[in-house]
Amino acid sequence: MSPGWSGQTHALRRKRGQGATILLSLVLGILIVAFFRIQVLRSGTYRLQSQENRLRAISVPAPRGTIYDRNGRVVAENVPGYVISLLPSRRDTTEAAIRQLAPYLDLGPAAIEALMERYTRFPNAPLVLRDNATFEQAAILEERRPEFPRAVVEMRPRRRYPAGPAIAHLIGYVGEISEAELESPAYAEYEPGRIVGKDGLERQYESTLGGKPGVRYVEVNALGTIVHEVDPSAGIPVESGQDLQLGIDLGLQILADSIFPEGMRGGAVALDPRTGEVLLLSSHPTFDPNQFIGGIDLDLWSSLRDNPDNPLLNRVTTATYSPGSTWKLVLSTIGMKRDRLAIDSYMPTGCRGALGYGNRVFRCWKPDGHGPLDLARAIKRSCNVFFYQAGQRIGLEALLEGATELGFNQPTGIDLPFEASGLYPDSRDWFDRRYGSRGWTESVVLNLSIGQGENQQTLLRQASFYAALATGESPVVPHLVRSEAMAARRMDWTLGLTESQRRDLLGAMIRVVNEQGGTANMFALDQWTLAGKTGTAQNPHGEPHSWFVGFAPAQDPQIVIRDCGHCRVRASGQHSLAGRAVRRATGAAVPGVGRHSAGGGPHGHPSGHRPVI
């Protein structure tokens, strides 16, 4: 090999060596920069990821606020309960764990399937297996901890309603948040598995009662097995829900529940007309809200949902009925306000038991009639023939306009969800739209005048009207929670009567109860003057809808009570619900519950009993 060739080879090797040195230096530099970035610049990030891989966050529910009645008695409270859940893992691992735990937690095939569906929707959240586990179930899992390393047993607050069915329709119930609720803006910060109010006050005041859940951490190994608890200070503390105090009298609530006739349907509401506080809200048949806690049994839910008596229906705020003769005070108010009626007004035709109109006959409840009556005695005896003519004198347009002015197409605004609005035509066009321009006649005014026909109202809406009649003041919005802000709320309508006119109507209502021949004379009280009105409306679906409304003491009203149902119970005034409610509202002793026999009465119907409690 020539010296020239050897020199070229040496130079080539030297260049290759320099290139390799540069390349290695570059790679080493890149590695040094990467290591510096990982170990120094992003060490906190990777340390956090490492911790997240070994730490599992577990939500800690906040205790819901306690609810008290006006006297400090507990309406809703929290008691210790046990929740059993699984930490998130792979699907096959989770399913195997559920099947392993099923015998100890009474989980059948349907329950296992439902749990796996929930896992599919929320695979990264702890899966609650039982949120109403018994102490025995919790104890068994704790004893067998090595067999169930991913199971979490926690003591959590559980809702309890001491009065049970007696307060169901006002308190509502709680349950696990649904998918639809999770998508609602109102639940934007809520997580799957959280317990929320589903109905009643529990739902209405969810943001107040619910509080804010906290977070605690547990350390797990690579297999997802819990190693130990992390220092509680590392978690997020819970914020307990706020307490509420109601205007409800729990004793009166329980009394109403205890004396309501078995197998009958109806409701009752009582208000303090001065403040708008609801003292009583009772609906029958009812249900036990305690059965919803921890998830209601499917068979029980089906029996409640499919029951023809509809025990889930709040018959005070969400059901509407024809008001019957209790509407006659509304018609009287409209007529007086327009100077078409006075307390001493007579109608052209005295009552002979019926009134002819066109080719139809409109009957009074008393077949042989009442004879000539003025407005005061027509209210006392609830004469239909008088009010047929009174409605004609007022006129259809004025009657429709007057009822609309009194807010009978609007809800009251009570602090409960799902309140229904009343149904009342607001103009002639309403009839044209419903029946066609030739599908109805002026005879509609006769039915409307006695609380029949196209007139459906809630018990609460009627009670609100009578509260305004009792005080003569701008009506207060009915409310369950006691607060100055709630007591300051007013409805956007007034009676529009002079004080003299209002007192004339009040006097007529006093005669209804306290004079012989009055339709509610059986309910007269010994200690107080009760003003009242009875009513019965035809019901195309069965027995008549029967009503009673009253307030006392008549000259200084402290309670307005309204009830409606499909049967009435004849009872003396002292033992009626109205009598007992007045006693409680005025601080007097309430007599014991007696047995009441069903009976008829002035507004009775041959096909059924009149329900007055």
Side-chain angles (χ1 to χ4, degrees):
M1 182 180 294
S2 66
W5 176 257
S6 176
Q8 291 177 357
T9 302
H10 180 73
L12 180 60
R13 288 177 178 175
R14 186 173 61 250
K15 287 181 180 180
R16 288 178 178 176
Q18 291 174 348
T21 300
I22 293 172
L23 180 61
L24 288 173
S25 299
L26 181 62
V27 171
L28 182 60
I30 293 174
L31 289 175
I32 290 173
V33 170
F35 289 149
F36 179 80
R37 182 168 174 267
I38 292 173
Q39 295 293 330
V40 179
L41 299 182
R42 300 192 63 189
S43 61
T45 301
Y46 289 104
R47 187 182 302 112
L48 178 61
Q49 289 183 3
S50 175
Q51 289 176 344
E52 290 178 346
N53 286 334
R54 68 183 179 86
L55 296 180
R56 293 289 184 270
I58 299 177
S59 178
V60 181
R64 294 181 72 82
T66 302
I67 302 176
Y68 302 93
D69 85 335
R70 66 188 302 110
N71 301 310
R73 297 179 63 181
V74 173
V75 178
E77 63 181 348
N78 301 307
V79 295
Y82 295 93
V83 174
I84 298 172
S85 56
L86 281 179
L87 295 178
S89 185
R90 296 180 308 177
R91 181 182 182 86
D92 56 347
T93 303
T94 298
E95 184 171 4
I98 293 174
R99 295 189 180 280
Q100 186 181 9
L101 288 163
Y104 303 100
L105 301 180
D106 297 326
L107 301 176
I112 295 174
E113 183 179 353
L115 287 170
M116 292 309 301
E117 289 178 0
R118 186 184 304 172
Y119 170 85
T120 301
R121 296 196 302 269
F122 310 109
N124 298 317
L127 180 63
V128 176
L129 305 182
R130 279 283 186 194
D131 61 1
N132 60 341
T134 64
F135 173 79
E136 290 75 14
Q137 290 173 329
I140 288 174
L141 294 195
E142 288 292 358
E143 290 175 359
R144 298 172 176 267
R145 169 60 56 195
E147 297 179 38
F148 312 114
R150 294 178 50 252
V152 179
V153 180
E154 299 176 278
M155 181 180 288
R156 294 186 179 182
R158 186 181 181 196
R159 212 57 164 159
R160 189 174 79 94
Y161 307 106
I167 49 89
H169 292 97
L170 69 92
I171 203 68
Y173 56 91
V174 295
E176 185 178 342
I177 191 168
S178 67
E179 276 194 83
E181 288 168 331
L182 285 169
E183 295 174 359
S184 168
Y187 299 94
E189 298 181 0
Y190 284 56
E191 296 180 350
R194 184 164 171 180
I195 301 300
V196 298
K198 293 290 187 176
D199 201 357
L201 288 170
E202 293 281 22
R203 181 185 181 98
Q204 184 76 17
Y205 288 95
E206 168 62 29
S207 61
T208 301
L209 291 167
K212 293 185 178 180
V215 175
R216 70 183 180 91
Y217 293 96
V218 294
E219 185 174 352
V220 298
N221 59 22
L223 299 176
T225 301
I226 298 175
V227 177
H228 64 77
E229 294 273 350
V230 176
D231 184 354
S233 63
I236 301 173
V238 301
E239 294 182 24
S240 299
Q242 299 177 35
D243 297 342
L244 294 178
Q245 185 174 29
L246 310 181
I248 287 289
D249 185 319
L250 188 58
L252 182 58
Q253 196 76 27
I254 294 171
L255 170 67
D257 181 70
S258 69
I259 67 175
F260 200 91
E262 189 68 27
M264 300 301 178
R265 304 189 300 276
V269 61
L271 309 175
D272 183 334
R274 303 161 300 180
T275 65
E277 290 179 0
V278 179
L279 307 173
L280 163 73
L281 193 154
S282 181
S283 178
H284 285 264
T286 185
F287 61 94
D288 188 352
N290 291 298
Q291 294 175 327
F292 285 79
I293 298 169
I296 188 170
D297 178 79
L298 291 178
D299 291 337
L300 177 58
W301 168 250
S302 297
S303 68
L304 291 172
R305 181 194 58 199
D306 301 333
N307 189 324
D309 289 336
N310 202 350
L312 297 174
L313 175 66
N314 186 335
R315 287 176 163 80
V316 175
T317 62
T318 59
T320 58
Y321 306 92
S322 296
S325 292
T326 61
W327 187 259
K328 291 171 181 175
L329 271 297
V330 179
L331 181 133
S332 300
T333 298
I334 295 170
M336 284 184 162
K337 182 178 178 179
R338 284 164 170 73
D339 295 326
R340 298 179 187 179
L341 286 178
I343 200 65
D344 56 356
S345 294
Y346 281 82
M347 292 297 113
T349 302
C351 177
R352 298 184 178 88
L355 180 72
Y357 185 91
N359 60 354
R360 296 182 59 188
V361 175
F362 291 80
R363 302 190 180 280
C364 186
W365 66 265
K366 188 177 181 183
D368 55 350
H370 293 97
L373 298 172
D374 61 9
L375 176 58
R377 288 187 294 165
I379 292 173
K380 170 184 171 181
R381 300 186 179 184
S382 200
C383 176
N384 289 347
V385 169
F386 179 97
F387 283 97
Y388 292 145
Q389 297 175 84
Q392 290 177 299
R393 176 178 292 185
I394 294 170
L396 180 59
E397 288 87 352
L399 192 61
L400 301 181
E401 182 183 86
T404 301
E405 289 173 355
L406 293 172
F408 281 101
N409 283 317
Q410 305 169 9
T412 67
I414 189 174
D415 48 344
L416 280 179
F418 315 125
E419 183 190 6
S421 297
L423 168 68
Y424 198 85
D426 57 359
S427 67
R428 288 176 173 271
D429 291 340
W430 187 94
F431 292 97
D432 289 341
R433 291 192 301 269
R434 182 161 184 174
Y435 303 116
S437 58
R438 296 186 179 183
W440 63 283
T441 69
E442 293 291 322
S443 65
V444 296
V445 74
L446 278 75
N447 279 329
L448 290 175
S449 299
I450 63 166
Q452 296 272 184
E454 294 78 4
N455 185 359
Q456 299 283 312
Q457 303 298 329
T458 66
L459 274 71
L460 184 64
R461 187 61 191 76
Q462 283 285 87
S464 180
F465 166 79
Y466 276 91
L469 189 60
T471 62
E473 299 175 359
S474 179
V476 184
V477 175
H479 53 275
L480 289 157
V481 172
R482 303 186 89 175
S483 73
E484 293 182 2
M486 296 295 288
R489 296 172 61 203
R490 294 291 186 271
M491 294 187 181
D492 59 357
W493 58 268
T494 59
L495 291 175
L497 298 176
T498 66
E499 181 60 14
S500 175
Q501 290 172 325
R502 186 189 72 84
R503 289 194 172 277
D504 285 341
L505 292 180
L506 176 61
M509 289 183 65
I510 291 173
R511 297 175 69 179
V512 169
V513 178
N514 298 281
E515 290 186 3
Q516 290 293 325
T519 57
N521 182 238
M522 69 181 75
F523 303 114
L525 305 176
D526 291 339
Q527 291 180 267
W528 299 277
T529 301
L530 173 66
K533 186 71 185 79
T534 58
T536 299
Q538 294 178 357
N539 172 24
H541 306 292
E543 294 182 359
H545 293 148
S546 297
W547 299 71
F548 175 78
V549 61
F551 48 83
Q555 302 301 337
D556 181 25
Q558 298 179 37
I559 182 171
V560 175
I561 188 164
R562 181 81 170 172
D563 77 72
C564 174
H566 295 296
C567 87
R568 243 176 225 209
V569 178
R570 181 184 290 273
S572 70
Q574 307 306 313
H575 290 278
S576 67
L577 178 56
R580 298 182 189 198
V582 171
R583 285 177 176 271
R584 291 197 67 93
T586 53
V590 180
V593 178
R595 292 183 60 83
H596 310 307
S597 59
H603 289 266
H605 190 280
S607 66
H609 304 301
R610 298 173 56 244
V612 174
I613 301 176

